[in-house]
Amino acid sequence: MNRKIELPIVASLISLALFSCRSTRITRATFPSDTTAPAARPDSADTEKALAEAREIRDKVMANRVSYETFTADVKMDFEDDRGKKGNNLGVNIRMQYDSAIWVRIGGPLNVEGARILITRDSIKVTNRLEGTVMLRSTAEGKELMKLELGLTELQDLLVGNPVFLGDSVGQVVRTQSIVSFVSKMKDLVSQFNVFADDYAIQQVKLTDADGSRPTPRVVELTYGDFRTVEGRKLAFQRKIYVEEKQVMKVALDFRKMEFNKPVSFPFPIPSSYTRQ
């Protein structure tokens, strides 16, 4: 693993958790709320009904949040971009202490460690063991890099599979037999959701910039699948991410194991010989 692979992984962690994709194709999501005009609501009674529906949808989605003190996971990750960069069968180990730290170890073939990442409330640290380098940044620099106000807790929510990028507003609701599709608008982002109609678990999310004047529009799509129950929690063991801005990045995470509330540690040695970047 080299720095060209390592840094996209770090950027993805900061903005959307990790990115992944295999040689297999990732199917782009479709959102009924994106193509169906919202129904006209001519009077106050209809407006009140729409507000009640919006509150109900948001409450049901947020009811799927997973609570925990610590989280550990073993993941197989593959990714590729439209410039020919790719990584296959990368082994990723994740450890988290809620609202405190995220620790990630990334291994290549034969489980040889390539990078280690530690994210806390105020810092981001990355060691590249193959090149003998260390990168130290503040979380403020990370937010500036990705142009997203994404804090540690939100990043942890992404990794564990909790709802994120869901604002207070919910509109353009479209219901089908299998999914409920809707739009949520925030200050800087527009989020489109597909959730399962039976339990409101998230199936797909599409993120676009609220400011449509960017020279290179940014689109991010998250897809969740292979849901299993772990210690009473319903979790997506497959995550697929599609990122399009100046280039296209595709990624797929296959979670092999998830555990909650086990003792965790965050070893992060930095040899004195490492070069700071």
Side-chain angles (χ1 to χ4, degrees), residues 1-7 10 113-118 124-137 268-277:
M1 178 182 299
N2 56 36
R3 188 166 181 266
K4 291 181 179 179
I5 294 176
E6 168 200 322
L7 291 183
V10 177
E113 181 171 328
R116 192 171 293 197
I117 303 166
L118 179 62
I124 301 166
K125 302 176 182 178
V126 182
T127 56
N128 182 326
R129 291 179 175 263
L130 299 182
E131 295 189 355
T133 60
V134 58
M135 183 181 74
L136 306 175
R137 298 287 188 271
F268 204 85
I270 302 176
S272 59
S273 60
Y274 275 26
T275 302
R276 180 168 175 170
Q277 295 182 330

Side-chain angles (χ1 to χ4, degrees), residues 96-226:
M96 301 195 307
Q97 178 83 41
Y98 178 72
D99 204 28
S100 177
I102 300 170
W103 179 95
V104 180
R105 177 190 181 277
I106 303 168
L110 303 177
N111 202 32
V112 175
E113 181 171 328
R116 192 171 293 197
I117 303 166
L118 179 62
I119 302 174
T120 62
R121 297 198 66 82
D122 58 8
S123 68
I124 301 166
K125 302 176 182 178
V126 182
T127 56
N128 182 326
R129 291 179 175 263
L130 299 182
E131 295 189 355
T133 60
V134 58
M135 183 181 74
L136 306 175
R137 298 287 188 271
S138 68
T139 52
E141 289 174 306
K143 291 179 181 180
E144 177 62 25
L145 172 68
M146 299 310 301
K147 307 300 182 184
L148 276 178
E149 284 297 319
L150 191 65
L152 175 71
T153 303
E154 291 80 13
L155 183 52
Q156 289 182 326
D157 281 339
L158 278 166
L159 287 169
V160 82
N162 278 335
V164 288
F165 305 115
L166 176 58
D168 293 332
S169 71
V170 171
Q172 293 177 241
V173 179
V174 179
R175 296 181 183 270
T176 70
Q177 185 174 358
S178 58
I179 67 167
V180 178
S181 182
F182 60 90
V183 172
S184 180
K185 296 181 179 180
M186 292 169 285
K187 178 183 177 181
D188 299 316
L189 290 174
V190 176
S191 305
Q192 296 171 265
F193 286 82
N194 286 339
V195 300
F196 292 101
D198 57 349
D199 61 4
Y200 286 75
I202 295 175
Q203 181 189 53
Q204 293 162 324
V205 184
K206 178 180 179 180
L207 309 173
T208 54
D209 290 298
D211 181 3
S213 64
R214 287 172 60 96
T216 306
R218 175 171 47 180
V219 177
V220 177
E221 293 182 9
L222 314 175
T223 301
Y224 301 81
D226 189 18

Side-chain angles (χ1 to χ4, degrees), residues 228-269:
R228 308 180 198 174
T229 300
V230 178
E231 301 174 24
R233 303 167 173 87
K234 182 178 179 180
L235 301 166
F237 271 64
Q238 289 185 348
R239 321 275 179 85
K240 297 182 179 180
I241 303 173
Y242 175 95
V243 181
E244 181 177 344
E245 192 175 7
K246 294 180 180 179
Q247 66 184 92
V248 174
M249 175 67 69
K250 302 176 184 179
V251 204
L253 298 173
D254 284 334
F255 284 74
R256 300 301 181 86
K257 181 174 70 173
M258 300 188 205
E259 291 183 322
F260 294 90
N261 303 328
K262 306 291 185 181
V264 294
S265 61
F266 308 108
F268 204 85

